[in-house]
Amino acid sequence: MNESILIVGSGAREHAIAAALARSPQQPTLLCFGSATNPGISALTTAYTTGNITDPEAVANFATTHAATLAIIGPEAPLATGVADALWTANIPVVGPTAQLARIETSKGYARDLLAGYRIPGNPTFRRFASIDGVDAFLARFPTRHVIKDDGLAGGKGVKVYGDHLHSLADSLQFCIQLADLRHEFVIEEKLEGEEFSLLSFCDGKTLRHMPAVQDHKRAYNNDEGPNTGGMGTYTDADHKLPFLATSDIAAAAAINERVAAALALECGAPYQGILYGGFMATSDGVRLIEYNARFGDPECLNLLTLLDTDFVAICRAIANQTLADLPINFRNEASVCKYIVPEGYPDRPRKGDPVVLPTHLPEDVALFLGAVDLRQNELISTGSRTVGLVATAPTIDEAEALCESVAAQIPGPFFHRTDIGTYSLIARRVEHMRIVRTA
Ligand code: AMP
Ligand code: GLY
């Protein structure tokens, strides 16, 4: 059967998804329902429409009209509104969970309760709140070591960490009052100390296949300074581990993902079919869970799909048919470094509408993915968010970093990127931080 695969979403993550599907020997037909025109994706698709990607009916109609045989959903917003449910109802199998299963990402309290209820290790001390009743007493247990999270999706603005965004108990209480006034539920939890890493798994509801561990960089500027962003860049190592992690840390994270998938199947009475993304912290006390995402990370996806050796169409089909157990999956044993080129002022007051001039020649081991761009009168322009994602692969992180940086430095105009991601000195700092944490 010649697959006809719908991609929902139109950022750099979805460009990477389209590119991985397009290099399949099965030569699938690709379709895209996006929120903007991404020329990187449209060059690979036979039908492309822009619209409201969170409208289940609109997406299902487009998929049916174009005889999609399979769909993959990139971002979290359409998962939350039940786009996967509508596609399954239209008899189109989906890589990406139904709204009920996506609660592992869309409700932070649900994720914490699931771990607690099934005695899965990894939770910090936490409590869910629907009002400010009891907040004072709970905060008093760790007055300078807590994190407050809006329960629902808040586009990265819903989490405040004591010491970073909150500087006194009065600040913390004020944030809780603000959430309660909005009638938002929230979670207060103990602040964990350590190094963060992501472990993503392909999941068909029964079998999980883990991907190489990745580290993201959330802060906008070098040395982890400046405001939080969606992620400025990521790296992976050739052994699929990270320099500051022990093999046992990866095994612990993999076991948590496996137990969470099993718990979700029991809890929801339905299989989780999609990408399960665990965001973890390696601490003095072992691996702890920060949060779950129900999709590929952005930029994690750019590294991972660039390194993927196995036919991605076969993987998506196996997720849909629940046959992952029969499919060996391989990633190249190379390191990768990804850097995002973003507009000046990103993330708080980004410039928009500037021409994006791409390098005319890309080295063989560099992949380029277009993100927040649009085509206006045939000119590529930036739309105010992460604009171009570059991924370099090489035998070592150092070499991948140098290669990535050499291309990033060629992109002219009012844009910037982090020059430190993947450098020896930044990684040495992570390793040293982890050594101090583990010996504390
Ligand atoms: P989240 O949206 O849950 O990923 O939170 C955003 C960021 O807040 C994470 O990437 C962490 O850097 C930080 N964070 C969240 N929860 C905790 C925690 N319990 N302890 C320390 N940092 C946290
Ligand atoms: N890179 C973090 C995320 O996709 O949520």
Side-chain angles (χ1 to χ4, degrees), residues 13 216 218 230-231 277 291 293 295-300 386:
R13 167 180 46 206
D216 190 10
K218 290 220 152 67
Y277 164 156
E291 62 160 357
N293 293 320
R295 51 174 172 83
F296 267 122
D298 186 356
E300 288 89 340
R386 293 177 294 174

Side-chain angles (χ1 to χ4, degrees), residues 4-360:
S4 185
I5 308 177
L6 171 69
I7 299 154
V8 179
S10 51
R13 167 180 46 206
E14 290 74 30
H15 185 186
I17 289 171
L21 294 170
R23 63 173 194 260
S24 164
Q26 298 185 47
Q27 298 187 296
T29 298
L30 300 182
L31 318 164
C32 178
F33 192 116
S35 40
T37 304
N38 182 326
I41 299 175
S42 63
L44 302 170
T45 51
T46 52
Y48 193 129
T49 193
T50 57
N52 178 4
I53 63 170
T54 64
D55 179 346
E57 207 180 326
V59 176
N61 283 342
F62 178 76
T64 306
T65 304
H66 293 279
T69 57
L70 199 56
I72 176 164
I73 299 175
E76 61 275 23
L79 295 171
T81 60
V83 169
D85 306 61
L87 287 163
W88 281 107
T89 302
N91 284 318
I92 298 161
V94 191
V95 176
T98 59
Q100 185 193 21
L101 287 151
R103 291 193 70 207
I104 194 69
E105 168 165 6
T106 60
S107 168
K108 294 184 189 294
Y110 177 85
R112 291 281 177 229
D113 274 350
L114 190 83
L115 264 73
Y118 287 81
R119 300 190 186 286
I120 302 169
N123 267 343
T125 305
F126 77 98
R127 189 171 296 171
R128 301 177 75 172
F129 292 91
S131 74
I132 59 157
D133 288 352
V135 162
D136 271 334
F138 194 65
L139 286 176
R141 289 172 58 179
F142 21 68
T144 59
R145 284 190 312 112
H146 58 260
V147 179
I148 302 171
K149 302 182 172 182
D150 192 330
D151 187 74
L153 291 180
K157 300 259 179 263
V159 176
K160 292 200 193 285
V161 179
Y162 195 93
D164 282 349
H165 319 89
L166 306 166
H167 302 284
S168 66
L169 271 177
D171 281 358
S172 300
L173 195 57
Q174 186 52 41
F175 185 49
C176 293
I177 291 169
Q178 192 185 322
L179 293 170
D181 284 350
L182 290 166
R183 302 249 180 284
H184 289 196
E185 290 186 23
F186 56 96
V187 178
I188 302 180
E189 59 191 42
E190 187 185 358
K191 180 179 173 180
L192 301 164
E193 173 65 25
E195 279 293 326
E196 287 182 55
F197 66 99
S198 309
L199 189 81
L200 287 79
S201 310
F202 295 113
C203 180
D204 68 4
K206 299 186 293 196
T207 303
L208 280 80
R209 294 268 188 243
H210 309 296
M211 305 184 217
V214 197
Q215 190 173 42
D216 190 10
H217 297 73
K218 290 220 152 67
R219 298 303 192 103
Y221 313 135
N222 279 6
N223 298 315
D224 299 319
E225 285 169 7
N228 272 325
T229 71
M232 292 294 288
T234 25
Y235 66 94
T236 66
D237 207 351
D239 60 3
H240 299 168
K241 193 168 88 47
L242 292 165
F244 56 86
L245 291 180
T247 308
S248 58
D249 295 322
I250 306 274
I256 294 174
N257 281 4
E258 284 166 19
R259 292 187 59 183
V260 162
L264 279 170
L266 285 173
E267 198 67 13
C268 301
Y272 183 101
Q273 290 166 283
I275 314 300
L276 187 63
Y277 164 156
F280 297 98
M281 180 96 81
T283 74
S284 61
D285 204 19
V287 168
R288 292 279 176 275
L289 176 76
I290 297 283
E291 62 160 357
Y292 266 104
N293 293 320
R295 51 174 172 83
F296 267 122
D298 186 356
E300 288 89 340
C301 180
L302 280 55
N303 302 68
L304 293 167
L305 290 184
T306 299
L307 291 167
L308 181 67
D309 233 356
T310 308
D311 176 1
F312 188 43
V313 174
I315 295 175
C316 292
R317 179 43 69 190
I319 290 172
N321 291 1
Q322 296 198 279
T323 52
L324 265 185
D326 305 329
L327 184 70
I329 293 179
N330 294 308
F331 289 86
R332 297 205 311 270
N333 281 104
E334 281 192 305
S336 69
V337 171
C338 172
K339 300 193 189 208
Y340 255 121
I341 313 297
V342 303
E344 276 178 10
Y346 174 79
D348 295 330
R349 262 172 268 102
R351 288 177 60 112
K352 296 178 186 171
D354 292 303
V356 181
V357 183
L358 301 175
T360 45

